[in-house]
Amino acid sequence: MLAMHKEIGSEFWSNCTPITNKEYTMRPSAIYDTCRYRVLETLSGRTALDHIVELLIGHGMKSAYLPSYCCHTMIEPFLAHGMNVLFYEVVLSKNGIHRLIDENHKCDCILLMDYFGYVDVETNEIAVRENNKNVITIYDATHSMYSKMDYEPYDYIYGSYRKWVDVNCGFLAWKEEGNNGEITQNDNNGNYSSIRTKLFDLKAGFIKGGQVEKDQFLPLINEAEMILENEYRHRMPDIRSKEVMRITDAEYIKVNRRNNAETITEAINELNDVRVRCANPQLNVSDIPLFVPVIVSSEYRNSLRRFLIEHEIYCPVHWPKSEFHQFNQRSVFLFDSELSLICDQRYNRFDMIRIVNTIKNYLKQC
């Protein structure tokens, strides 16, 4: 009998999430069809955002108000289309991540999100206020794909599913009323999808203890990312990803992610250590976390991450800083201090305890 590898995190692998025969699926059409939105599936979240920016340019929009704390891929499409970009500050408060928005901004559109799937009631309030000023509202649903929230205030919604399951798929949703312009797609999804599919299959063989070594699939991660940097516009998801989205058990994902996040949050809170604390000290009823973000004292963050890797626990940081970002002392804090703990459906309570115990062991030796 083959021995399973017990690493936590990093890329998904083929068939790592239970499937369902129920009508409700992961596909965005199942979520947004009832909300008066039209839906288009795309290769990636960046593909979807690029579509939105093209539509905004077509409507004469020239400026965008973006969060200072975000991925560079959320900034680049606006700049690539020649839009002027301004940033509102994003800071850490005692109850989670908070936005400092200038209500007198003069931008044509605003991009909003709920970080890591923790829903802030203020997000919708901001959207309503901006709509009343005739500012176009865009919501990045990547982190909050399965959190319970009201999408009604948003003119455009988009997101990526690849951080949730083993797919190469994003989506764009926009309200049916009004003339939103033409959205075209290229039938060719490029080399990106084929490389990612190969990665999923090879990692499945590795995890299951087959004759697959890490050096057979790890280079594929960077190779795929390099391709996506240059080949994301007007691309459709591959057929395999659409099928995975159709049959994946979304309820299983939601229940397990929430349970895992509660286990980690409770355990980190019990540490009562100022060096590592939860960005969100509690889950609300609406939250389905993508990760559990913890704030680690900046002098320890990178060494803790390396320690976790040494114990086969692979936790990302959100986000690497780039040339597109603008920082001041407060906004750079999250980039330098945040660490995303894994809580996804591949794992259970014992895996979450393993993560926290590894953090405990690190703190003991510091």
Side-chain angles (χ1 to χ4, degrees):
M1 184 175 180
L2 298 177
M4 295 279 288
H5 283 278
K6 296 299 290 181
E7 71 174 35
I8 296 176
S10 191
E11 292 287 339
F12 288 92
W13 56 89
S14 300
N15 305 314
C16 63
T17 301
I19 63 175
T20 180
N21 293 319
K22 295 178 182 177
E23 233 176 88
Y24 181 84
T25 72
M26 272 191 71
R27 295 185 70 172
S29 58
I31 301 173
Y32 300 103
D33 273 356
T34 59
C35 306
R36 296 189 299 111
Y37 286 94
R38 294 176 61 192
V39 177
L40 179 71
E41 292 178 339
T42 61
L43 175 64
S44 68
R46 195 186 323 187
T47 305
L49 181 57
D50 187 75
H51 277 311
I52 293 172
V53 177
E54 284 186 334
L55 293 174
L56 296 178
I57 292 290
H59 290 307
M61 305 292 171
K62 297 180 179 179
S63 57
Y65 201 24
L66 309 184
S68 61
Y69 183 51
C70 68
C71 180
H72 79 278
T73 60
M74 297 165 64
I75 308 170
E76 192 271 340
F78 293 95
L79 297 177
H81 287 280
M83 291 190 77
N84 183 35
V85 170
L86 297 177
F87 293 92
Y88 57 85
E89 200 169 359
V90 180
V91 300
L92 184 70
S93 72
K94 65 179 181 179
N95 294 318
I97 296 171
H98 183 65
R99 292 150 296 213
L100 304 176
I101 291 179
D102 179 4
E103 295 187 24
N104 296 315
H105 77 85
K106 303 301 181 184
C107 293
D108 299 316
C109 62
I110 186 170
L111 177 60
L112 298 166
M113 65 181 295
D114 286 299
Y115 291 94
F116 304 104
Y118 295 81
V119 177
D120 186 341
V121 293
E122 186 186 41
T123 312
N124 277 18
E125 294 171 0
I126 293 169
V128 171
R129 186 179 70 222
E130 296 296 322
N131 280 336
N132 290 337
K133 298 189 299 180
N134 294 317
V135 174
I136 296 297
T137 52
I138 308 166
Y139 185 77
D140 184 340
T142 301
H143 281 207
S144 54
M145 207 69 78
Y146 299 106
S147 300
K148 297 176 184 177
M149 59 174 295
D150 176 17
Y151 294 102
E152 182 62 29
Y154 303 100
D155 297 298
Y156 298 93
I157 305 168
Y158 79 97
S160 171
Y161 283 89
R162 73 172 187 160
K163 299 299 183 185
W164 294 85
V165 287
D166 55 311
V167 297
N168 319 301
C169 189
F171 78 96
L172 159 63
W174 68 100
K175 288 186 176 178
E176 292 183 341
E177 65 264 20
N179 178 19
N180 278 286
E182 193 68 28
I183 295 179
T184 59
Q185 285 280 78
N186 184 341
D187 287 339
N188 178 15
N189 51 54
N191 295 323
Y192 173 76
S193 291
S194 59
I195 292 173
R196 290 269 296 170
T197 299
K198 183 178 179 181
L199 163 63
F200 295 146
D201 290 343
L202 285 172
K203 184 164 182 183
F206 170 78
I207 290 293
K208 294 173 183 177
Q211 294 182 336
V212 178
E213 300 297 330
K214 278 193 171 184
D215 59 8
Q216 291 178 252
F217 62 84
L218 287 181
L220 298 178
I221 299 174
N222 290 333
E223 184 179 351
E225 290 305 304
M226 290 178 65
I227 291 173
L228 188 62
E229 286 286 335
N230 299 298
E231 298 182 9
Y232 66 88
R233 302 188 68 196
H234 298 275
R235 302 278 186 172
M236 298 176 67
D238 56 280
I239 294 173
R240 175 200 167 275
S241 291
K242 293 171 76 169
E243 177 62 14
V244 171
M245 295 283 289
R246 186 183 69 81
I247 62 175
T248 292
D249 190 338
E251 289 301 320
Y252 181 92
I253 287 176
K254 292 192 287 186
V255 169
N256 280 271
R257 281 183 176 268
R258 184 172 175 87
N259 288 344
N260 286 341
E262 287 177 337
T263 298
I264 287 185
T265 301
E266 180 180 342
I268 294 293
N269 288 341
E270 287 177 356
L271 289 179
N272 195 27
D273 193 312
V274 295
R275 292 171 293 178
V276 180
R277 66 190 193 279
C278 289
N280 300 81
Q282 65 180 27
L283 272 74
N284 295 318
V285 294
S286 300
D287 302 337
I288 306 293
L290 176 61
F291 297 101
V292 177
V294 293
I295 303 303
V296 185
S297 300
S298 57
E299 65 267 34
Y300 298 114
R301 199 272 301 271
N302 291 340
S303 62
L304 170 57
R305 190 183 183 201
R306 287 193 296 270
F307 188 83
L308 290 167
I309 290 172
E310 289 169 4
H311 291 79
E312 297 190 287
I313 300 170
Y314 301 93
C315 297
V317 297
H318 287 84
W319 283 271
K321 291 179 280 191
S322 79
E323 61 182 322
F324 301 120
H325 290 99
Q326 293 180 11
F327 305 106
N328 61 31
Q329 187 173 0
R330 286 208 298 179
S331 63
V332 79
F333 173 79
L334 283 165
F335 287 92
D336 291 340
S337 305
E338 190 275 339
L339 182 65
S340 299
L341 301 186
I342 306 298
C343 66
D344 69 65
Q345 63 278 357
R346 294 172 289 179
Y347 310 109
N348 57 32
R349 176 179 176 82
F350 298 104
D351 296 310
M352 301 303 100
I353 293 171
R354 175 184 159 194
I355 293 173
V356 176
N357 283 341
T358 306
I359 293 173
K360 285 181 182 179
N361 291 336
Y362 169 81
L363 294 174
K364 286 178 184 177
Q365 69 179 31
C366 289

